[in-house]
């Protein structure tokens, strides 16, 4: 039922047209904290520029940080670069969580979608469906579950009337409390960091012109370097 629903309703996503582990890794890291619609053009541009792990490894961290601008949570870009450097030098590790920035979910997603491993990547959508249905799904259902969670089994008001699992679902017809909102970006320290990094990505600048706290935090993450009171991207 679920798989035939997926056959008719699958979202057309560019990373579903490949089984290249590097391309899947890029998509999964971008999707960690950025919405699908915003990721699609950035994923295509990234692969156009750096089509392989070796190509990305050969890029400078500064170029990677510039290319990542606008996706948010910039450490992800830097970690992706570090992961590519590891892959280019040593190949893919068996345990993908050895790669920088790759946690159990991302490892499971790359394992399933690219390497055909028998593991179900459980993101928020998949977990929600498992909790509501009380069912443990097979790894082969991963993409279908992700689309079902994104378009039908929604967090607050699920669309049970069009759900392929409705006949067996004990939660059918329920409504849920609004989720906790993500903390506001406007006026946040995250925004100050993003603004500061954008300025430095444009050109190196004297420390005195910048938000010192944001610079210190960015430097701790390796996103900028400070030398003789001048702030620049890592070389
Ligand atoms: S019937 Fe409703 S609650 Fe159950 S899986 Fe489908 S959409 Fe979610």
């Amino acid at each position: 039922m679920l798989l035939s629903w997926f056959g008719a309703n699958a979202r057309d996503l560019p990373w579903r047209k490949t089984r290249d582990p590097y391309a899947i890794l890029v998509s999964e890291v971008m999707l960690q904290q950025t919405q699908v619609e915003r990721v699609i053009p950035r994923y295509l541009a990234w692969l156009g520029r750096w089509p392989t792990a070796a190509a990305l490894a050969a890029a400078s961290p500064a170029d990677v940080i510039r290319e990542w601008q606008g996706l948010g949570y910039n450490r992800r870009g830097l970690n992706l670069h570090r992961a590519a450097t590891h892959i280019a030098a040593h190949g893919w590790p068996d345990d993908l969580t050895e790669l920088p920035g790759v946690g159990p979910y991302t490892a499971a997603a790359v394992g399933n979608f690219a390497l055909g491993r028998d593991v179900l990547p459980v993101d928020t959508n998949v977990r929600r469906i498992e909790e509501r249905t009380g069912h443990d799904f097979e790894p082969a259902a991963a993409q279908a579950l992700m689309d079902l969670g994104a378009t039908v089994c929604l967090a607050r008001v699920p669309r049970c009337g069009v759900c392929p699992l409705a006949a067996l679902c004990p939660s059918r017809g329920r409504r849920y409390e609004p989720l906790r909102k993500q903390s506001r970006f406007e006026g946040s320290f995250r925004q100050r960091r993003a603004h500061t990094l954008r300025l430095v990505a444009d050109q190196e600048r004297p420390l005195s012109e910048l938000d010192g706290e944001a610079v210190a935090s960015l430097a701790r993450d390796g996103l900028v370097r400070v030398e003789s009171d001048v702030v620049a991207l890592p070389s």
Side-chain angles (χ1 to χ4, degrees), residues 189 193 196 207 211-224 226 231:
F189 187 58
R193 271 175 54 111
T196 303
L207 179 57
D211 176 336
E213 277 182 338
V215 169
S217 163
L218 290 167
R220 273 196 300 276
D221 287 344
L223 288 161
V224 300
V226 186
V231 186

Side-chain angles (χ1 to χ4, degrees), residues 129 132-133 148 152-153 158-160 163 165-166 169 171-173 176:
I129 298 168
R132 289 178 180 176
T133 58
L148 192 73
V152 175
C153 192
R159 301 170 58 219
C160 304
C163 177
L165 305 177
C169 179
S171 306
R172 185 180 60 246
Y176 298 83

Side-chain angles (χ1 to χ4, degrees), residues 26-223:
V26 171
S27 72
E28 288 297 335
V29 172
M30 287 185 172
L31 288 164
Q32 280 168 5
Q33 277 142 324
T34 309
Q35 290 171 338
V36 168
E37 294 71 25
R38 285 179 58 210
V39 165
I40 290 173
R42 303 300 300 271
Y43 163 86
L44 294 171
W46 188 280
L47 287 186
R49 184 168 185 182
W50 297 306
T52 62
L56 178 57
S60 72
D63 280 346
V64 170
I65 291 168
R66 282 197 195 92
E67 185 70 38
W68 196 270
Q69 288 302 288
L71 281 167
Y73 296 97
N74 291 280
R75 259 178 302 178
R76 290 181 296 164
L78 210 50
N79 278 333
L80 191 53
H81 183 247
R82 291 179 182 140
T85 304
H86 178 100
I87 294 160
H90 309 289
W92 288 82
D94 276 347
D95 177 358
L96 298 176
T97 63
E98 287 173 14
L99 296 171
V102 175
Y105 167 76
T106 304
V110 175
N112 183 319
F113 304 148
L115 307 174
R117 290 186 183 168
D118 203 20
V119 55
L120 179 69
V122 180
D123 69 353
T124 344
N125 284 336
V126 175
R127 186 173 305 111
R128 186 166 63 243
I129 298 168
E130 288 196 330
E131 284 171 2
R132 289 178 180 176
T133 58
H135 189 75
D136 287 332
F137 292 89
E138 295 295 319
Q143 302 273 24
L145 290 171
M146 282 170 191
D147 282 13
L148 192 73
T151 62
V152 175
C153 192
L154 304 173
R156 205 161 67 77
V157 186
R159 301 170 58 219
C160 304
V162 294
C163 177
L165 305 177
L168 304 167
C169 179
S171 306
R172 185 180 60 246
R174 280 191 58 186
R175 297 288 180 268
Y176 298 83
E177 291 298 313
L179 290 179
R180 226 171 355 104
K181 285 219 171 100
Q182 205 183 16
S183 54
R184 278 169 63 85
F185 181 67
E186 285 304 315
S188 67
F189 187 58
R190 204 154 67 77
Q191 185 188 33
R192 284 166 54 195
R193 271 175 54 111
H195 176 67
T196 303
L197 186 59
R198 215 165 23 249
L199 291 173
V200 177
D202 265 356
Q203 59 178 82
E204 58 182 41
R205 292 173 193 266
L207 179 57
S208 56
E209 283 183 7
L210 297 166
D211 176 336
E213 277 182 338
V215 169
S217 163
L218 290 167
R220 273 196 300 276
D221 287 344
L223 288 161

